[in-house]
Amino acid sequence: MCGIVAVHDPVSATGPDLDLGRAMLDRIGHRGPDGRGERAVGPTWLGHVRLAIVDLDAGDQPLGPADDHWAVVNGEIYNHRELRTVSGLHFASATDSDSEAALAAAVAGDLEALADLRGMYAFVVAHPDGRVTAVRDPLGVKPLYWARVDGATYFASELVAFDPAMRTRVEEFPPGHRWTPEEGLVRFRSLHVPSTQITDRDAALTQIRETLITAVRRRMMADVPVGVFLSGGLDSSLVAAIMASFADEVPGPVHSFAAGTAGSSDLIAARRVAEHLGLEHHERVYDADEVVSVLPDVVASIESYEPSLVRSAVPNYLLAEATAPVVKVVLTGEGADELFAGYAHFRDIVDAPDLREALIDGVSGLHNLNLQRCDRVTMAHGLEARVPFLDRDLVGLAGRLPIEWLLPGELGQEKAILREAFTGWLPDDLLWRPKEQFGDGSGTADVMLERAAELAPEDDWADQRVSRLAAPRSREELAYQRMFADHLAGIDQRVLGRFATA
């Protein structure tokens, strides 16, 4: 996990602007506290800040020379060892870094080679003949932004990296695409692939359980201790239970981390789960004053002002801050609600095709919402978050389930089929605990509502508007917009798209 910057300038007689590239990299230094590297390759400059997790000694970047091809990679390729032996890709470098699989796939130039990469990634490769390749994973788990200005193309992991003068030109790089100057954007893998529906419910329960177990074990790959963000809800508790069952596969004990206001339901439930599983548990308890004081940092880190995203980001941010000194990698429960219809608003959709479409839209839009929040609040503290529910196989499996199996069961409980699949893995009262939004269960939402008037006290808040941003929908949103504008001068609503207004 890292931060990357690239400048590709084939038109300037003096080559890429190294000082500009270095300034961009400075702005995202928080993403890589363990190292920094750069390399100029013809018309391309590559910059990288590293969070060392795999191949600690030899995994520095830019990665190369692979026959003089060089790469900067952000993310993890979970099947890199398999690809070394069965893919036919040429691994020219002499490291054990998982990022070599990304470099090898880009050098091959084959869309199928990119499609075979399993993991979360965004990377840029500079080729010896002056070409450049940029790639982002199909779900957009890892961020990538770009701007094209006067014949040059700039890439970075976060919006803040870009010089204020070019921020009106910044766009989100689309998930599941490869870009080269010669071919432009080309999709290399679709997120949702039509396939045969499962008809045997017992078989489905087995497949759900086995697929999630495999996804969690893949994401336990690390040369450093790992942990889990544990809210006490179903999704993170299942991840924790699987990690506890395979604890011998990671260095040291499995650590769990929970956050909330004193006495909040999340803290109580997480404590019980951790005790049941024998995890090494850590808590971050905070009060209303801490929530309000940290808000500008939270809004700046998530690069969004959407109120529900901010509310859920506050406990995540404080939790990541407390987690980073203990471990470098955490697994989370992101994505389960989109796959298995966990949100309350899905209950209002009575037509099966409409619900299916809503679930597809939910998964497809995660890169602008919860995945953005998850990446930013963790990387603000040099911490890597991994999302096993969004494993390719589990996303595909969820799409094969009959839609009626995703509706509340006899107990009226959301995600009933996921709960059934893991019967016996947790005490029943925890396995069937009703869902709460993270901001609610942690007690943060109550604090935010209480203090909203202090955040934007003007009586005429509805007439207020921050330049370039959408009209605020509430006093709370106006306050976050002002914090956002202080951090990202020049960013407009066109650049933000739906991830600021969903």
Side-chain angles (χ1 to χ4, degrees), residues 54-55 58-59 63 80-81 84 93-100 223:
V54 176
D55 194 6
L63 184 66
H80 72 104
R81 292 190 179 91
R84 288 175 185 273
S93 299
T95 80
D96 291 324
S97 172
D98 59 290
S99 295
E100 278 201 47
D223 295 330

Side-chain angles (χ1 to χ4, degrees), residues 419-461:
R419 299 174 195 271
E420 290 176 33
F422 283 89
T423 298
W425 283 69
L426 295 167
D428 281 351
D429 64 318
L430 294 173
L431 184 66
W432 291 90
R433 180 192 176 207
K435 176 177 178 57
E436 292 182 272
Q437 299 291 347
F438 192 26
D440 297 327
S442 66
T444 309
D446 292 340
V447 170
M448 308 285 266
L449 290 175
E450 290 172 6
R451 305 293 283 267
E454 299 175 23
L455 300 174
E458 294 89 342
D459 292 335
D460 60 345
W461 68 266

Side-chain angles (χ1 to χ4, degrees), residues 230-233 258-270 286 311-312 315 433-446:
L230 183 59
S231 70
T261 55
S264 60
S265 58
D266 276 2
L267 279 182
I268 295 169
Y286 51 82
R311 290 186 210 123
S312 63
R433 180 192 176 207
K435 176 177 178 57
E436 292 182 272
Q437 299 291 347
F438 192 26
D440 297 327
S442 66
T444 309
D446 292 340

Side-chain angles (χ1 to χ4, degrees), residues 183-365:
E183 296 183 353
L185 284 168
V186 179
R187 180 179 289 278
F188 65 87
R189 191 177 190 280
S190 296
L191 181 56
H192 303 282
V193 180
S195 54
T196 305
Q197 192 173 85
I198 298 173
T199 57
D200 185 325
R201 188 178 179 90
D202 288 338
L205 294 175
T206 299
Q207 290 182 54
I208 290 170
R209 183 170 57 254
E210 292 179 349
T211 304
L212 181 57
I213 289 172
T214 299
V216 170
R217 293 180 69 188
R218 279 184 183 138
R219 284 154 184 80
M220 292 171 70
M221 174 192 79
D223 295 330
V224 295
V226 301
V228 56
F229 277 175
L230 183 59
S231 70
L234 174 68
D235 312 327
S236 63
S237 296
L238 290 182
V239 172
I242 296 169
M243 294 177 71
S245 296
F246 296 94
D248 59 343
E249 297 183 3
V250 296
V254 174
H255 296 262
S256 57
F257 303 87
T261 55
S264 60
S265 58
D266 276 2
L267 279 182
I268 295 169
R271 195 177 304 145
R272 283 198 56 212
V273 173
E275 290 173 354
H276 176 75
L277 298 175
L279 306 178
E280 189 161 322
H281 192 55
H282 311 260
E283 293 182 352
R284 173 65 164 93
V285 182
Y286 51 82
D287 59 21
D289 289 337
E290 285 185 276
V291 169
V292 174
S293 66
V294 81
L295 275 172
D297 293 334
V298 171
V299 172
S301 73
I302 66 173
E303 299 189 323
S304 175
Y305 57 79
E306 205 287 315
S308 64
L309 209 61
V310 176
R311 290 186 210 123
S312 63
V314 168
N316 270 181
Y317 183 92
L318 293 169
L319 184 58
E321 183 179 47
T323 300
V326 183
V327 299
K328 286 187 174 182
V329 179
V330 289
L331 277 63
T332 82
E334 303 290 349
D337 290 312
E338 288 77 10
L339 293 182
F340 296 99
Y343 291 124
H345 64 265
F346 288 135
R347 298 190 184 194
D348 299 329
I349 304 175
V350 296
D351 184 69
D354 289 346
L355 179 56
R356 177 72 71 191
E357 191 64 29
L359 293 174
I360 291 174
D361 288 346
V363 174
S364 301

